[in-house]
């Protein structure tokens, strides 16, 4: 294998990495002048180590990139052998597990990958791939040596307890692990709270409850203290459940673990009720949230149609992405207007929201409006004093668009010029929909996420997030799920389906639509040369 040009120290490639990345943790000390270095790879493919920006002045490796024939690009995840090249391997205990004796193929092929973009043109490149999740024939931990811990961070989400349960049961039933800790109270629980021992018996019924038995919090991330606690407790597998901010924290923990040369696998399970985590098809709890939102929409519809000129306003979660509002609207078929952060709207004037409300009330006698919490914030700030505050996770505290919009509608129809009296009911189930237990679909999904995370950690992979990509679970580098926020694409067919369902105007000018198309459609050059092509929400 071709070596780095004038390397400061000799570099080795671990067996499991298959030549797709350099291994020494000393690579993290390379200066930013080495923004990218290339080494040889098998089959003549070229491996590129891309150094990204780190907190402070140092550089970080992110991610491991391997290029192959036909435009194939593998964005791989780190492996313990990248910085601990002499680790022994052991046979996977699954081969002796009676439950898996009926499985035709125990283990996934080491070279299996999952394509990020599944719809391609005849002559288009193969594009970006991620390493396929699943059990490997060899593992890097013996069952007796595993000391795992689980932590939940950020806001609540349906399915948190299910993920906890399935990690505990999966480690125990599939790999015979007996030492599993629960970290209480989020990240700060590593150094400021007690831990609890988790067993199959203690977690048996927790999936029937909402919330998280471990407790959660925002903020409290002190990387050095957390890693000190991990090292002092002898923990060697860390399962971190949380949103994009939590995954950024997990990435920092992984890098400190690697800097210290510890044999500790860091696995992330992405969690957000807003479904706004990049790359993955869907986050757990989203189906439950949409299903629960139906109750509020149905109540608003009953209230609105029971009186003359009734209006039901329902505010749903969606800080920056309107997926819950969009899917709940499509599922309901009782909604007349859906407002989301990605699609600007205006109130006054021809073609505005207020004019549309008047028209719909004259036609149907009632209407239902669904609004995502992040919608219309620019309009609110124009009419109210800005509240430029953030929560402990750094999320901007939003003004209540539901109350504001309800008042604007009331003011409009109470003016002397209007002869129409309205009866408006405002329903805010925002936190109710995330505090419920997960439904059957999410329970199954949470099981798959937990098991895939376990297989990855046991196989020595680390610094990864697990999630489905085009229906297949894959190991995704932390930086890919934290670099951007997934949003509803208002030039996609799914949003067009919603507009068709509600018969609402788009509220967009021709210039808005053209600008959106330019942002959403990658150029031909980027399709051919850039492996980081963004995909839409997957609608067809």
């Amino acid at each position: 294998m071709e070596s780095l040009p004038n390397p400061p120290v000799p570099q080795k490639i671990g067996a499991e990495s298959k030549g797709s990345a350099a291994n020494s943790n000393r690579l993290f000390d390379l200066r930013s002048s080495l923004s990218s270095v290339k080494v040889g790879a098998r089959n003549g493919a070229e491996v590129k180590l891309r150094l990204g920006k780190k907190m402070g002045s140092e550089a970080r490796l992110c991610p491991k990139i391997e290029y192959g024939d036909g435009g194939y690009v593998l964005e791989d995840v780190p492996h313990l052998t990248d910085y601990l090249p002499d680790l022994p391997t052991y046979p996977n205990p699954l081969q002796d597990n009676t439950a898996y004796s009926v499985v035709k193929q125990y283990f996934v092929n080491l070279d299996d990958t999952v394509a990020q973009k599944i719809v391609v043109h005849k002559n288009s490149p193969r594009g970006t791939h991620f390493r396929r999740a699943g059990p490997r024939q060899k593992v890097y931990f013996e069952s007796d040596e595993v000391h795992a811990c689980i932590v939940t961070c950020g806001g609540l989400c349906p399915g948190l307890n299910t993920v906890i349960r399935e990690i505990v049961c999966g480690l125990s039933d599939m790999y015979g692990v007996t030492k599993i800790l629960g970290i209480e109270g989020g990240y700060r629980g590593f150094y400021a709270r007690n831990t609890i021992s988790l067993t199959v018996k203690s977690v048996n019924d927790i999936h029937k409850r909402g919330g998280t038995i471990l407790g959660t919090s925002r903020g409290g991330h002190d990387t050095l203290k957390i890693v000190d606690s991990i090292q002092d407790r002898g923990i060697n597998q860390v399962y971190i459940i949380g949103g994009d901010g939590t995954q950024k924290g997990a990435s920092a923990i992984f890098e400190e673990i690697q800097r210290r040369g510890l044999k500790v696998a860091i696995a992330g399970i992405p969690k957000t009720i807003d479904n706004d985590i990049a790359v993955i098809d869907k986050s757990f709890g989203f189906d439950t949230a949409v299903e629960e939102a139906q109750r509020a929409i149905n109540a608003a519809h009953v209230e609105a149609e029971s009186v003359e000129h009734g209006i039901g306003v329902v505010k749903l979660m969606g800080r920056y992405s309107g997926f819950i509002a969009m899917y709940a609207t499509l599922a309901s078929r009782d909604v007349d207007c859906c407002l989301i952060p990605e699609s600007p709207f205006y109130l006054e004037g021809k073609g505005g929201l207020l004019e549309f409300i008047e028209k719909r009330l004259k036609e149907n006698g009632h209407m239902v409006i669904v609004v995502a919490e992040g919608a219309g914030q620019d309009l609110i700030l124009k009419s109210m004093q800005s509240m430029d505050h953030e929560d402990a996770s750094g999320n901007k505290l939003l003004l209540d668009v539901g109350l504001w919009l309800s008042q604007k509608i009331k003011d409009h129809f109470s003016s002397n010029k209007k002869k129409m009296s309205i009866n408006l009911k405002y329903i805010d189930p925002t936190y109710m929909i995330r505090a419920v237990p997960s439904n059957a679909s999410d329970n199954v999904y949470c099981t798959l996420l937990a098991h895939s995370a376990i297989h990855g950690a046991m196989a020595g992979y680390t610094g990864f997030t697990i999630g489905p990509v085009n229906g297949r679970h894959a190991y995704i580098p932390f930086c890919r799920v934290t670099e951007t926020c997934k949003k509803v694409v208002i030039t996609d067919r799914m949003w067009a389906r919603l507009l068709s369902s509600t018969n609402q105007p788009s509220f967009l000018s021709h210039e808005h639509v053209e600008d959106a198309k330019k942002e959403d459609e990658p150029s031909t050059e980027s399709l051919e040369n850039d492996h980081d092509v963004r995909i839409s929400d997957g609608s067809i």
Side-chain angles (χ1 to χ4, degrees), residues 385-405:
Q385 186 176 0
S386 174
M387 294 173 57
D388 195 15
H389 300 146
E390 296 180 345
D391 62 20
S393 295
N395 298 315
K396 188 174 182 179
L397 294 176
L398 302 179
L399 298 166
D400 194 324
V401 65
L403 287 174
W404 173 83
L405 181 61

Side-chain angles (χ1 to χ4, degrees), residues 350-370:
K350 185 174 179 58
L353 177 61
L354 295 175
E355 181 186 79
F356 173 68
I357 293 173
E358 286 186 40
K359 178 183 176 183
R360 186 54 56 91
L361 289 178
K362 290 176 182 178
E363 291 174 348
N364 296 345
H366 66 274
M367 77 175 299
V368 175
I369 302 171
V370 169

Side-chain angles (χ1 to χ4, degrees), residues 46-359:
E46 184 183 83
V47 179
K48 183 176 180 181
L49 305 176
R50 192 172 70 193
L51 297 184
K53 196 172 181 181
K54 190 176 182 180
M55 301 176 190
S57 59
E58 296 180 44
R60 69 166 57 149
L61 288 172
C62 181
K64 293 161 59 176
I65 304 293
E66 180 176 339
Y67 295 98
D69 296 334
Y72 172 90
V73 179
L74 171 62
E75 293 202 11
D76 207 354
V77 295
H79 194 271
L80 292 174
T81 55
D82 290 350
Y83 60 97
L84 299 171
D86 299 321
L87 290 179
T89 60
Y90 312 95
N92 194 320
L94 274 181
Q95 64 188 10
D96 300 319
N97 191 310
T98 56
Y100 282 76
S101 61
V102 297
V103 179
K104 185 176 180 180
Q105 183 178 351
Y106 286 134
F107 311 113
V108 300
N109 191 302
L110 288 177
D111 291 328
D112 285 357
T113 60
V114 178
Q116 181 179 10
K117 190 176 180 66
I118 196 170
V119 179
V120 296
H121 302 296
K122 181 179 178 180
N123 298 319
S124 62
R126 293 176 62 191
T128 301
H129 288 62
F130 300 102
R131 190 167 292 279
R132 183 185 175 190
R136 265 58 179 176
Q137 193 167 5
K138 298 291 184 182
V139 296
Y140 284 78
F141 293 92
E142 290 187 288
S143 300
D144 292 342
E145 75 166 306
V146 174
H147 190 188
C149 76
I150 306 170
V151 63
T152 55
C153 306
L156 296 182
C157 183
L160 280 170
N161 279 333
T162 307
V163 175
I164 295 169
R165 181 189 189 278
E166 297 309 316
I167 292 176
V168 174
C169 293
L171 282 170
S172 176
D173 297 339
M174 293 189 296
Y175 289 98
V177 175
T178 58
K179 293 181 289 186
I180 309 171
L181 287 179
I183 307 297
E184 294 186 310
Y187 274 136
R188 63 170 54 92
F190 276 101
Y191 53 85
R193 297 287 296 275
N194 293 328
T195 61
I196 58 175
S197 178
L198 299 175
T199 64
V200 172
K201 185 176 181 179
S202 68
V203 301
N204 185 52
D205 293 324
I206 64 173
H207 63 291
K208 300 175 183 178
R209 291 182 252 162
T212 164
I213 62 165
L214 299 179
T216 186
S217 66
R218 297 189 183 276
H221 187 279
D222 188 317
T223 305
L224 296 182
K225 286 184 178 181
I226 291 171
V227 177
D228 286 344
S229 176
I230 291 171
Q231 193 169 1
D232 292 343
R233 297 176 189 274
I235 294 170
N236 51 23
Q237 288 186 10
V238 183
Y239 297 92
I240 301 173
I241 310 168
D244 58 346
T246 300
Q247 302 305 310
K248 289 177 183 177
S251 179
I253 293 171
F254 156 69
E255 290 181 8
E256 179 62 19
I257 290 286
Q258 187 175 42
R259 190 188 69 81
R260 299 188 189 187
L262 304 177
K263 184 187 176 184
V264 179
I266 307 294
I269 295 96
K271 173 232 61 162
T272 170
I273 202 170
D274 292 344
N275 194 37
D276 59 358
I277 291 182
V279 180
I280 67 173
D281 297 343
K282 181 175 62 177
S283 53
F284 75 83
F286 177 71
D287 280 352
T288 305
V290 171
E291 185 176 298
E292 199 66 20
Q294 299 299 294
R295 302 176 187 274
I297 293 174
N298 183 59
H301 182 249
V302 170
E303 289 283 351
E305 71 173 355
S306 299
V307 296
E308 185 181 13
H309 298 152
I311 300 176
V313 178
V314 180
K315 186 182 79 171
L316 298 176
M317 299 194 83
R319 183 180 296 273
Y320 304 113
S321 303
F323 287 104
I324 291 179
M326 179 174 73
Y327 277 83
T329 295
L330 280 168
S332 170
R333 302 292 174 174
D334 286 330
V335 178
D336 298 278
C337 185
C338 177
L339 305 172
I340 61 173
E342 296 89 338
S343 184
F345 68 94
Y346 56 98
L347 294 177
E348 308 287 348
K350 185 174 179 58
L353 177 61
L354 295 175
E355 181 186 79
F356 173 68
I357 293 173
E358 286 186 40
K359 178 183 176 183

